[in-house]
Amino acid sequence: MRRKILITGGSSGIGLALANRLSARHDVMVTGSRDRSKITEVFSPNLIYVQASQSDPKAAVKIIAEALLKAGWVKLDNVVLNAGTGFAVKNAIDDVERVRQTIDINSTATILLSRTLYPWLAKAEGTLTIVGSVAHKGQALFPVYAASKGALHGFVRALRSEWRGRVAVQILHPGPTKTDMHAKAGHDAGRLHSIFINPSSMAAMMEYAMSSKRSPLSLSFLKYYLGGSIMGKSL
Amino acid sequence: MRALVTGGSAGLGQALCARLLADGFHVTNLDRDLPDQASTAEYVRCDLSSRDAVDKALMTLTSSDGFDLVIFNAGISATGKFEEISTSSHARIIAVNAEAPISLCAGLMKAGKIDNGARVGFVSSLSHFTGYPGAASYAASKDALAVYAKAVRKVWQKQLGIKVTVVFPGPLKTDHAARHAPDGADAEKRMAPNDAAKLILRDIKRGKAHSMPGVAARIFAFLGQIAPKVMTFAMKKLIYSKLDKTVAD
């Protein structure tokens, strides 16, 4: 079955890897904060791109809903709310503006999109996949990032229960991945960076996790070394 | 000794302020509304859903001496079916319950206004352990606080001697709980805010990582940890399936 799939934060990193992977077999719309012309990574020509920065959650929701209507998409089989940001800080003391930006992009926009996209998901009896982080239990290097992802963990726990039988809701907690997220966050992982999981392998693990509809799922080294990126059911 | 309590005009916050005043603290109450009862606490008006108001409050708070004890207690909720609650209500809950306390805390820390050796408490919710179908964005906001506190606790204790406590109260005998409980829920089973305040302050002063006021809260938290899915299912039966209206405040 050819699916209609929406992926946020799809202009780079894990989101783009997942979008490229799924675009061969499905109709995929991706959103990102960057202008399309600024995307220099491999970007499948099959993808529909929508520029919607989640720094303004209410505006992003409106732009995305309008893009769906304009494209004539009346249902969504899969929604992957993946957009996220984070900043490394010293002594676990954040800057107030960055607190707001991180919570807006990671938590508020994700919650508002879940609310707004419900009719599309319900129509397809689809799956809502929310991307958390292995840091969701607390991380002194990124306290607000951890908090924003912890919020999503509790959010999914409640919403999965509420929507049972209508829309499957799941949270995936990816481990460290070889994307530019760490550099953007102002954190140098040093030599550790070389053992991080490839975005394409992470995308494979995500696809299999989406098809399993299970939650919560941790997509980190253990799963990876047990063959999580080569064994699983495709969407 | 100087204390700051957010949401000190009613409910648990009011009880916390009263106890701190009795203990001889100079208390600052940061709230959107005037106190329900006359109090000698200093009142700073602030609507936590407004970033401008939070910025102004930070300017006021950082222009005086530092605090020895800070409790981020203010919170709002919205209960009902997730998709029937407006996006504005969901956004407000995250702003008031998660963004504002973390911004205030980070702003005070950056300005050095939480003194070395101070105590900081974040009022989260027992839903951190049980899940809360019928209040998904509220649950999200309270989990954000719990995780933030956990993330900063070790570093602040080591570097500055500041001890951070997360409070996980169950339903209390307050107007807030009454508004958001299903019809027919037994209010008598809820803990009185005064009793909860006493236990919470004891834990915060001792610098404990967690505070779970009352035996019932401990039992629920324990069950939620050993069988999270069963507990969320039970919460759905107990609360979500009985909610016949949407309440946002």
Side-chain angles (χ1 to χ4, degrees), chain B residues 78-201:
Chain B
T79 38
K81 292 186 165 69
F82 174 74
E83 66 278 15
E84 288 177 6
I85 297 169
S86 70
T87 48
S88 305
S89 289
H90 288 305
R92 256 174 68 81
I93 287 171
I94 301 299
V96 172
N97 293 8
E99 181 195 301
I102 295 175
S103 302
L104 284 169
C105 186
L108 287 170
M109 285 296 290
K110 201 139 232 186
K113 293 295 177 181
I114 297 182
D115 291 343
N116 288 4
R119 299 286 181 267
V120 177
F122 287 95
V123 179
S124 176
S125 161
L126 198 53
S127 68
H128 182 62
F129 297 102
T130 62
Y132 196 171
S137 46
Y138 174 84
S141 69
K142 292 300 185 177
D143 279 0
L145 286 188
V147 172
Y148 179 71
K150 206 171 153 187
V152 301
R153 182 176 160 84
K154 268 190 199 148
V155 179
W156 291 0
Q157 186 167 337
K158 210 169 134 192
Q159 312 267 352
L160 306 158
I162 294 171
K163 292 195 176 177
V164 180
T165 304
V166 199
V167 184
F168 300 104
L172 300 176
K173 223 179 276 175
T174 57
D175 295 344
H176 170 95
R179 268 200 307 282
H180 293 286
D183 282 342
D186 185 359
E188 282 313 303
K189 284 187 192 152
R190 299 187 201 126
M191 193 176 214
N194 259 325
D195 300 337
K198 184 179 164 191
L199 298 170
I200 290 166
L201 278 177

Side-chain angles (χ1 to χ4, degrees), chain B:
Chain B
M1 299 283 270
R2 290 167 51 82
L4 169 68
V5 177
T6 69
S9 289
L12 177 62
Q14 187 179 58
L16 289 167
C17 284
R19 286 205 162 261
L20 286 165
L21 286 167
D23 287 350
F25 276 87
H26 173 276
V27 180
T28 303
N29 163 29
L30 194 76
D31 203 303
R32 177 187 58 183
D33 305 314
L34 280 162
D36 281 358
Q37 293 163 12
S39 159
T40 51
E42 179 192 356
Y43 171 66
V44 175
R45 186 190 181 85
C46 178
D47 177 353
L48 295 176
S49 68
S50 150
R51 286 179 178 172
D52 288 346
V54 170
D55 288 339
K56 264 192 203 151
L58 263 175
M59 278 179 41
T60 308
L61 296 174
T62 53
S63 64
S64 56
D65 289 345
F67 294 99
D68 307 286
L69 193 150
V70 180
I71 304 179
F72 297 100
N73 155 81
I76 57 170
S77 187
T79 38
K81 292 186 165 69
F82 174 74
E83 66 278 15
E84 288 177 6
I85 297 169
S86 70
T87 48
S88 305
S89 289
H90 288 305
R92 256 174 68 81
I93 287 171
I94 301 299
V96 172
N97 293 8
E99 181 195 301
I102 295 175
S103 302
L104 284 169
C105 186
L108 287 170
M109 285 296 290
K110 201 139 232 186
K113 293 295 177 181
I114 297 182
D115 291 343
N116 288 4
R119 299 286 181 267
V120 177
F122 287 95
V123 179
S124 176
S125 161
L126 198 53
S127 68
H128 182 62
F129 297 102
T130 62
Y132 196 171
S137 46
Y138 174 84
S141 69
K142 292 300 185 177
D143 279 0
L145 286 188
V147 172
Y148 179 71
K150 206 171 153 187
V152 301
R153 182 176 160 84
K154 268 190 199 148
V155 179
W156 291 0
Q157 186 167 337
K158 210 169 134 192
Q159 312 267 352
L160 306 158
I162 294 171
K163 292 195 176 177
V164 180
T165 304
V166 199
V167 184
F168 300 104
L172 300 176
K173 223 179 276 175
T174 57
D175 295 344
H176 170 95
R179 268 200 307 282
H180 293 286
D183 282 342
D186 185 359
E188 282 313 303
K189 284 187 192 152
R190 299 187 201 126
M191 193 176 214
N194 259 325
D195 300 337
K198 184 179 164 191
L199 298 170
I200 290 166
L201 278 177
R202 189 195 62 192
D203 290 340
I204 290 179
K205 284 180 179 172
R206 286 183 185 165
K208 287 180 68 175
H210 293 170
S211 173
M212 282 169 218
V215 178
R218 277 156 207 269
I219 294 172
F220 271 86
F222 174 71
L223 293 174
Q225 276 170 302
I226 56 167
K229 289 186 181 179
V230 176
M231 189 45 102
T232 309
F233 179 75
M235 287 289 284
K236 187 178 185 183
K237 291 280 158 208
L238 275 170
I239 299 176
Y240 182 68
S241 58
K242 291 180 188 164
L243 291 170
D244 53 0
K245 57 189 189 297
T246 298
V247 183
D249 67 4

Side-chain angles (χ1 to χ4, degrees), chain A residues 186-209:
Chain A
H187 172 241
D188 181 7
R191 281 158 63 194
L192 268 181
H193 199 262
S194 63
I195 67 154
F196 286 4
I197 299 168
N198 270 316
S200 58
S201 301
M202 183 55 73
M205 290 207 281
M206 287 173 76
E207 180 183 348
Y208 304 147

Side-chain angles (χ1 to χ4, degrees), chain A residues 17-85:
Chain A
L18 181 67
N20 280 335
R21 179 184 171 92
L22 294 173
S23 67
R25 286 165 285 135
H26 304 289
D27 299 325
V28 183
M29 184 184 286
V30 298
T31 75
S33 57
R34 287 189 289 173
D35 188 89
R36 172 72 182 82
S37 62
K38 298 266 168 61
I39 302 174
T40 50
E41 295 91 335
V42 176
F43 194 91
S44 160
N46 301 334
L47 296 172
I48 304 174
Y49 185 71
V50 178
Q51 189 183 359
S53 165
Q54 292 189 189
S55 326
D56 184 343
K58 283 179 187 168
V61 165
K62 192 162 171 271
I63 293 169
I64 293 169
E66 281 170 0
L68 287 168
L69 295 173
K70 200 177 145 209
W73 289 23
V74 293
K75 63 172 192 121
L76 284 164
D77 299 286
N78 290 88
V79 172
V80 184
L81 300 180
N82 156 79
T85 191

Side-chain angles (χ1 to χ4, degrees), chain A residues 8 52-65 83 99-116, chain B residues 51 87-88 90-92 94-95 99:
Chain A
T8 67
S53 165
Q54 292 189 189
S55 326
D56 184 343
K58 283 179 187 168
V61 165
K62 192 162 171 271
I63 293 169
I64 293 169
V99 171
R100 289 169 175 165
Q101 197 185 348
T102 307
I103 293 178
D104 266 345
I105 294 174
N106 297 6
S107 312
T108 309
T110 300
I111 291 170
L112 300 195
L113 279 170
S114 305
R115 160 73 174 75
T116 304
Chain B
R51 286 179 178 172
T87 48
S88 305
H90 288 305
R92 256 174 68 81
I94 301 299
E99 181 195 301

